Amino acid sequence: LVYRYDLYDREPWYALVLAAVLGALGMRLVGAIELESMAHIESRTVLAALAAVHEELARLVLVFLLAFVLGTHFNDPMDGIVYGSTVGLGMALEESYYTISLLPEPPAYLLPVELVRLLGHLIMGGIVGFAVGLRRAGISRWKHKLFVCALTATLMHFLWDVLALSADDGVLSGAQTFAAISVILFGMIFYGSLVVAGSKLSKTMFAPSSQASLWGWPFTVLFEKRKQS
């Protein structure tokens, strides 16, 4: 899905592989810092705040690094979302691998938990990276948008970690589940709005006459029915 969003100036596959690998390596480093913090800090709220700040800052640094290393490839308003999402995916895979390696026997709820982890990191990575793409494309006020996006992703991450750390034996209560779903839904809506905005800017810059659209199936079927009616 993330690769599909990049409709008008696609990124090479090896650049996306590099982004995922850097994300995994970054998560390993940040994870070591977080484990060290857990040995000295008992407050779950403080730990959640540290994890949110460390991981979102790492994502932002890695996206800026990719923008520098990839040069002319990183030139699109959508590139910040694509590379940020891929960095987030790499971080999620590393975190999942570490978490699963500690389990003597996978619990029944493991699959949905890990899918949410992948989705959450992907979304937050795309949000953090969005403004970096604006900067590379020469869009004005990118610094303001960077602050808003970084703050949004960090707050989302903080709230999610607070809920995760407060769960009894890894299982959320009904209220906690509702709160967690609300955080993810907000993130999906915010992320989606950035994808739409980035895609419009990208189309204007690279392919103003292109017929390619974000709204694939089943939306194309619905739009066609509306036209016929």
Side-chain angles (χ1 to χ4, degrees), residues 184-216:
I184 290 295
L185 283 178
F186 169 80
M188 291 175 67
I189 293 170
F190 192 83
Y191 179 89
S193 69
L194 297 183
V195 169
V196 171
S199 184
K200 288 181 179 179
L201 290 170
S202 180
K203 182 175 182 179
T204 300
M205 290 179 61
F206 295 103
S209 60
S210 174
Q211 298 299 311
S213 173
L214 281 174
W215 308 106

Side-chain angles (χ1 to χ4, degrees), residues 137-184:
I139 305 299
S140 63
R141 298 195 68 194
W142 68 270
K143 291 182 179 179
H144 169 74
K145 294 177 175 63
L146 177 64
F147 175 78
V148 172
C149 288
L151 180 62
T152 300
T154 303
L155 287 175
M156 277 183 58
H157 201 142
F158 170 70
L159 292 173
W160 179 263
D161 281 357
V162 166
L163 291 167
L165 291 172
S166 62
D168 294 328
D169 297 324
V171 179
L172 299 176
S173 67
Q176 290 170 330
T177 300
F178 176 79
I181 292 173
S182 299
V183 171
I184 290 295

Side-chain angles (χ1 to χ4, degrees), residues 26-27 30-31 34 49-62 87 91 95 121 124 128 154 157 161:
M27 190 64 186
V30 171
E34 291 174 1
L50 287 174
V53 171
H54 286 159
E55 292 179 28
E56 299 312 318
L57 180 60
R59 269 192 265 273
L60 183 60
V61 169
L62 288 174
V87 166
M91 294 179 76
E95 189 175 65
H121 279 283
M124 290 182 287
V128 166
T154 303
H157 201 142
D161 281 357

